[in-house]
Amino acid sequence: MKEIILVYLDRSGGLEKFVHDCKKYNDSKQSYAVYRFIISINPSDVAELDATLGNYILHKPMKAAGIFQSVCFIAIKTLSLIEQLQTEAQISILLKPTHLPPLPSYVLSLSAFPFDYTSKRFYMSEGIAIAMGTVTKYTQGARFLCTEESCPFSEGFRYIRVHVPGATESATVRNDFVCSLCSSPLQEDMKFRVLGDKQIVEMIDARVLNALKGHSDHKSHFRIQTFTVFLR
């Protein structure tokens, strides 16, 4: 699968963009705990090369991102793209599909049964944005160090916390993490915190437009409720 990913990135131009993004990190004077890469990907093209990998991207994107993470780490080390990078855990990969299969099972509908949306896979949802919050910051990644100075994990990049889709921010940054080696408390190294933009959008199903037009189809009454989307 790693070889297939490398072939796909080379053919699609993703490898060239990845090298360019690495150069920006390498030329930056800022210290990073986490290096974030957004990779656009066409699931159909990947499935043509390897059906299993294509299935991972569509239905197990976190697992697929882990394989991409390994490929990107090897590429960075082999080509010496980012001198400061030390561990694979410092790489955060966000897979961005160009499209999803045009099938009903890939459309997120909060009014359709069953409500089996716990699989953490990609869905597509369309609606009308009726309210948008202000853009605020959230923690994309953070570095923690063991507070016991004699512990080997009191330095380096052993403890990296990266925000994953669907998680609350307390899963990334808290004050109750402990060292797996000596059980001492972990403390965040604030100068390595990586921030990103977050916005909350209130959306509603497009069918509400028919109600506003005064149309009636003589069906039973129904209620349309808004749903909240977190954009990161």
Side-chain angles (χ1 to χ4, degrees):
M1 287 189 187
K2 293 178 181 179
E3 292 179 3
I4 293 296
I5 288 174
L6 201 56
V7 169
Y8 173 77
L9 291 178
D10 186 37
R11 291 181 180 178
S12 65
L15 190 59
E16 183 179 354
K17 179 182 180 299
F18 174 74
V19 172
H20 177 71
D21 292 341
C22 287
K23 188 177 186 302
K24 289 194 296 184
Y25 277 125
N26 199 45
D27 294 343
S28 174
K29 296 180 180 180
Q30 182 179 347
S31 298
Y32 290 91
V34 176
Y35 300 88
R36 189 168 186 257
F37 299 95
I38 299 176
I39 299 179
S40 295
I41 195 162
N42 186 324
S44 300
D45 289 347
V46 176
E48 288 290 335
L49 295 171
D50 188 283
T52 303
L53 179 60
N55 186 62
Y56 281 170
I57 291 172
L58 289 173
H59 304 110
K60 298 179 181 179
M62 299 301 294
K63 186 172 183 177
I67 306 174
F68 273 82
Q69 179 189 39
S70 179
V71 172
C72 291
F73 177 73
I74 295 172
I76 290 173
K77 284 301 183 182
T78 303
L79 303 175
S80 301
L81 297 175
I82 302 178
E83 296 178 1
Q84 311 94 309
L85 180 70
Q86 295 186 21
T87 66
E88 185 176 315
Q90 290 178 260
I91 298 177
S92 174
I93 300 295
L94 178 65
L95 297 179
K96 187 177 181 181
T98 56
H99 68 281
L100 294 179
L103 300 171
S105 58
Y106 291 96
V107 177
L108 178 64
S109 173
L110 299 182
S111 62
F113 291 92
F115 293 127
D116 183 24
Y117 300 129
T118 59
S119 59
K120 297 182 180 179
R121 67 176 177 87
F122 284 117
Y123 292 95
M124 178 176 63
S125 182
E126 293 184 351
I128 303 170
I130 62 172
M132 300 176 71
T134 57
V135 177
T136 58
K137 296 294 183 181
Y138 79 101
T139 303
Q140 282 184 355
R143 174 199 190 192
F144 287 82
L145 297 172
C146 181
T147 53
E148 176 55 54
E149 294 184 359
S150 61
C151 179
F153 298 156
S154 61
E155 56 185 18
F157 291 85
R158 167 68 182 183
Y159 295 113
I160 299 295
R161 307 289 301 182
V162 180
H163 183 273
V164 297
T168 59
E169 292 179 35
S170 62
T172 309
V173 179
R174 289 205 310 266
N175 56 10
D176 59 348
F177 296 129
V178 296
C179 178
S180 60
L181 186 63
C182 67
S183 298
S184 298
L186 296 181
Q187 185 174 16
E188 183 186 357
D189 187 353
M190 291 298 295
K191 67 177 180 289
F192 280 91
R193 178 178 285 197
V194 181
L195 299 178
D197 291 334
K198 176 185 69 174
Q199 189 174 25
I200 298 177
V201 178
E202 200 77 11
M203 296 187 66
I204 196 165
D205 195 294
R207 289 178 299 173
V208 73
L209 291 177
N210 292 329
L212 294 176
K213 291 177 181 177
H215 292 177
S216 175
D217 54 8
H218 303 290
K219 292 184 178 179
S220 59
H221 294 289
F222 63 92
R223 178 171 64 94
I224 297 179
Q225 183 173 332
T226 62
F227 57 96
T228 303
V229 178
F230 289 81
L231 300 179
R232 297 184 186 271

